[in-house]
Amino acid sequence: MKKSLGAKTILYPAPVLVIGTYDKEDRPNVMTAAWGGICCSSPPCVAVALRKATYTYGNIVLQGGFTINIPSEQHVIYKEFPFVLECKLIQQIEIGLHTQFIGEILDIKADKGVLDQNGQMDILKVKPILYAPEANIYYDLGTFLGNAFSIGQEVKKKPWNIINDCKNF
Amino acid sequence: MKKSLGAKTILYPAPVLVIGTYDKEDRPNVMTAAWGGICCSSPPCVAVALRKATYTYGNIVLQGGFTINIPSEQHVIYKEFPFVLECKLIQQIEIGLHTQFIGEILDIKADKGVLDQNGQMDILKVKPILYAPEANIYYDLGTFLGNAFSIGQEVKKKPWNIINDCKNF
C-alpha cells in the first residue's frame, strides 16, 4: 500500500554540481546545482537545468559553454575541485521555471590524486557529495554493494509486479 | 595539475532508475537506466535518456508516459519498489545516440515504510543505490555530511580559483 505524496521533485540520489561560467566581463562565477546529469553517450553530453533568474543562466547563453565541477567531501571549500567536465552548449530546452542546457563534454580533467593506478577515475578517491532534495541534506558515499552487471542478471531471474503504479498516466 | 581523460560520460553520483512502461499489448516492462534526474521545479519534471534500440523507448513514445522507480538496497530484487514517480511525457529531445524524454511528475507514491513520522520521504529509509559510471559499480548511501544551506554559506566566504578549466570552450 503506497501513499500519494503529490507532484514533487524528489529523486535519490541527486548529485551536487558546481557550474562554472564566465560573465560578459570575463569574470569567473560559480553556482551549485542539483538538477543535472549525463544525458547521452555519443556524443558524450551532460544536462543541467537552471532558472532564468540565475547569473549562470545568462553566462551560459552568452558564452556558449560551461564547466561542471564535482566537489568532494574534503574539497567542498577548496580552491579547486578535483574533477571537471568541460562542456560546449549544444541545446537549450525550455521546460518551465527551469531551462535545461545540454552540453557536449569536450574533455574531463581530473587531479592525479583522484585517479587509480591505471589512470582511471576512482569514485572512492573523489568522494562525491550526495544531495537529498526537500530535506536539503548532504551525505557522503557509502560502501561497495556489487557489480552493476551481476546484480542485473539476478534481477532478470525474478518476477516483477511494479508497474501497477503507472496506470494513471 | 590536472590530467585530461578525454570526452567521457563520468559524473558522480549517478542514480539507479528503473523505468516502468507498458508495451502495445499492455504488458509491463522495466529497464534500468542511469542517465536521468530532476530537470524542472515548476512544473515538476524528470528527464531520462534512452537509446532508440531499447524496448522502453518505443513504449514511452506509444503510451506517452512512464514511471521512474527508485530501487533501494534491500529491495533490489523485490517485487515492488518503495518509491515511484508517475510521469506524463511532455518533451522528447533528440541528442545523439540517446533520446531524452522529459516527463512531468504527476504524483509520487511511496511505501509507508520509507516515510518519516511526518509523512515525508526519508532517504535513510529508502536507502537508494548509487552508480559509478565506467567502473560499473553500485554503492550504498553514506552518512550525514551537513545541511546544504549551511555548507553553502561557508563556501561563499572562501576565495575561488576553479574556473581556469573552462577557458577552452
Side-chain angles (χ1 to χ4, degrees):
Chain A
M1 178 60 185
K2 282 191 163 54
K3 181 186 172 188
S4 171
L5 300 183
K8 296 187 167 195
T9 50
I10 305 176
L11 187 145
Y12 299 143
V16 178
L17 309 173
V18 178
I19 315 299
T21 54
Y22 285 97
D23 71 7
K24 61 185 176 185
E25 274 133 20
D26 256 1
R27 290 177 304 201
N29 186 267
V30 290
M31 76 169 282
T32 305
W35 298 162
I38 299 294
C39 61
C40 190
S41 299
S42 178
C45 291
V46 63
V48 64
L50 303 173
R51 287 176 298 109
K52 284 191 171 63
T54 61
Y55 198 65
T56 299
Y57 174 95
N59 290 352
I60 293 179
V61 171
L62 180 73
Q63 305 282 4
F66 56 91
T67 62
I68 293 190
N69 302 268
I70 310 294
S72 87
E73 9 170 328
Q74 72 268 47
H75 289 93
V76 69
I77 54 172
Y78 200 59
K79 63 173 182 171
E80 190 166 347
F81 295 110
F83 175 23
V84 58
L85 286 71
E86 297 174 353
C87 306
K88 175 186 165 190
L89 180 64
I90 60 167
Q91 287 201 55
Q92 179 175 340
I93 318 295
E94 302 299 335
I95 305 176
L97 181 61
H98 285 68
T99 299
Q100 186 188 51
F101 293 104
I102 296 180
E104 183 177 343
I105 302 165
L106 302 181
D107 194 13
I108 289 182
K109 288 197 174 65
D111 284 341
K112 288 181 181 170
V114 297
L115 301 178
D116 65 18
Q117 56 195 15
N118 301 315
Q120 301 301 306
M121 291 291 305
D122 184 341
I123 193 172
L124 296 175
K125 292 180 176 172
V126 173
K127 295 184 188 297
I129 301 166
L130 285 48
Y131 176 60
E134 286 230 322
N136 289 329
I137 292 174
Y138 289 142
Y139 292 90
D140 65 7
L141 184 72
T143 54
F144 175 87
L145 269 184
N147 178 282
F149 182 74
S150 304
I151 288 183
Q153 292 302 310
E154 282 304 306
V155 169
K156 278 186 183 171
K157 298 173 191 162
K158 304 284 175 175
W160 289 96
N161 182 30
I162 72 157
I163 313 292
N164 292 333
D165 302 280
C166 62
K167 270 297 189 190
N168 59 344
F169 289 150
Chain B
M1 178 61 186
K2 282 191 165 55
K3 181 187 171 187
S4 171
L5 300 183
K8 297 187 167 196
T9 50
I10 305 176
L11 187 146
Y12 299 144
V16 178
L17 309 173
V18 178
I19 315 301
T21 54
Y22 285 97
D23 71 8
K24 60 185 177 185
E25 274 133 19
D26 257 4
R27 290 177 303 201
N29 186 268
V30 290
M31 75 169 280
T32 305
W35 297 164
I38 300 294
C39 62
C40 190
S41 299
S42 179
C45 290
V46 63
V48 64
L50 303 174
R51 288 176 297 111
K52 284 191 170 64
T54 61
Y55 199 64
T56 299
Y57 175 95
N59 290 353
I60 294 178
V61 171
L62 180 75
Q63 304 281 4
F66 55 93
T67 61
I68 292 189
N69 302 270
I70 309 294
S72 87
E73 20 172 317
Q74 73 268 47
H75 289 92
V76 70
I77 52 172
Y78 201 59
K79 63 174 182 172
E80 192 167 347
F81 294 110
F83 174 23
V84 58
L85 287 69
E86 297 173 352
C87 306
K88 174 186 165 191
L89 180 64
I90 60 168
Q91 287 201 54
Q92 179 174 340
I93 318 296
E94 303 298 335
I95 305 175
L97 180 62
H98 285 69
T99 299
Q100 187 189 50
F101 294 104
I102 297 179
E104 182 176 344
I105 302 165
L106 301 181
D107 194 13
I108 289 182
K109 288 197 173 66
D111 283 342
K112 287 180 180 168
V114 297
L115 301 178
D116 66 18
Q117 58 195 12
N118 301 315
Q120 301 301 307
M121 290 291 305
D122 184 341
I123 193 172
L124 296 176
K125 292 180 177 173
V126 173
K127 296 185 188 296
I129 301 166
L130 286 46
Y131 176 60
E134 286 230 321
N136 290 327
I137 292 173
Y138 289 143
Y139 292 89
D140 65 9
L141 184 72
T143 54
F144 175 86
L145 268 184
N147 179 283
F149 182 74
S150 305
I151 287 183
Q153 291 303 308
E154 282 304 306
V155 170
K156 278 186 184 171
K157 298 172 191 164
K158 304 284 175 176
W160 290 97
N161 182 29
I162 71 155
I163 312 294
N164 291 333
D165 302 280
C166 63
K167 271 296 187 190
N168 59 344
F169 287 151

